[in-house]
Amino acid sequence: GAVVSQHPSRVICKSGTSVKIECRSLDFQATTMFWYRQFPKQSLMLMATSNEGSKATYEQGVEKDKFLINHASLTLSTLTVTSAHPEDSSFYICSARDASGEQYFGPGTRLTVT
Amino acid sequence: RKEVEQDPGPFNVPEGATVAFNCTYSNSASQSFFWYRQDCRKEPKLLMSVYSSGNEDGRFTAQLNRASQYISLLIRDSKLSDSATYLCVVNKKGRRALTFGSGTRLQVQP
């Protein structure tokens, strides 16, 4: 099946710093990628839909100035958590949608803000 | 009310047991339904799609009742390797992103 990678898999940063997470579709082109967040023992919550070459669409309650999304190519979307705080500590998962509409998930990035 | 509701469990069952999970969804415009499996600290992986006619894949059977907005997953002859969290997932018409339930945790014991 299709492969989606995320980098880094785990990151620890200090409060106030920014962290960039990359999501790549390795063997297919993805015009649409999604960014989800999962807190412990909770469901995946959609943060934003990332569209290649255009602005991301954010879900209600997600600050677009805090979570910057760039989808510069058909195989790469990045999420930057700006001025991270401990409450941003979470499991961030991206998914990429292929031409048939099937979604493939990345392995996730575990962010810990100290 | 959550869009997708599941019993969080955990369901603790012995090997070989049959176990059933249920899920309800609130949006009648939902058009695609799935069960995903998520292992601890890993990404969710598609287990199977769910169709109105019901579908089976080996030991796994999924059912959809659109009138009741209810989805089920039956696992027969449970294996230790089935231990995971099972996520009920719905896709609403006109929306590309998926909506996840919070998952039901299964622990199969020897």
Side-chain angles (χ1 to χ4, degrees), chain A residues 32 36 38 43 59 103 106, chain B residues 38 41 43 95-96 98 101:
Chain A
T32 305
Y36 294 85
Q38 187 177 33
S43 61
E59 295 299 296
Q103 282 195 39
Chain B
Q38 187 175 25
R41 295 176 174 261
E43 77 276 23
R95 182 170 161 87
R96 292 167 292 175
L98 302 173

Side-chain angles (χ1 to χ4, degrees), chain B residues 24-108:
Chain B
T24 56
Y25 59 95
S26 61
N27 192 323
S28 58
S30 301
Q31 63 177 17
S32 303
F33 309 89
F34 311 91
W35 282 102
Y36 275 72
R37 171 196 168 126
Q38 187 175 25
D39 293 289
C40 189
R41 295 176 174 261
K42 300 281 188 182
E43 77 276 23
K45 292 188 188 294
L46 179 64
L47 181 65
M48 60 198 301
S49 300
V50 188
Y51 305 111
S52 297
S53 54
N55 48 301
E56 189 173 306
D57 183 1
R59 298 181 293 109
F60 300 84
T61 301
Q63 294 274 358
L64 166 65
N65 184 320
R66 285 188 185 268
S68 304
Q69 295 179 197
Y70 172 94
I71 306 162
S72 66
L73 176 68
L74 183 77
I75 305 176
R76 291 181 297 278
D77 188 23
S78 300
K79 312 288 184 194
L80 294 175
S81 57
D82 293 334
S83 299
T85 296
Y86 290 82
L87 304 169
C88 178
V89 182
V90 166
N91 182 222
K92 290 184 287 192
K93 187 175 182 179
R95 182 170 161 87
R96 292 167 292 175
L98 302 173
T99 302
F100 286 80
S102 53
T104 299
R105 197 155 70 85
L106 171 66
Q107 185 68 48
V108 181

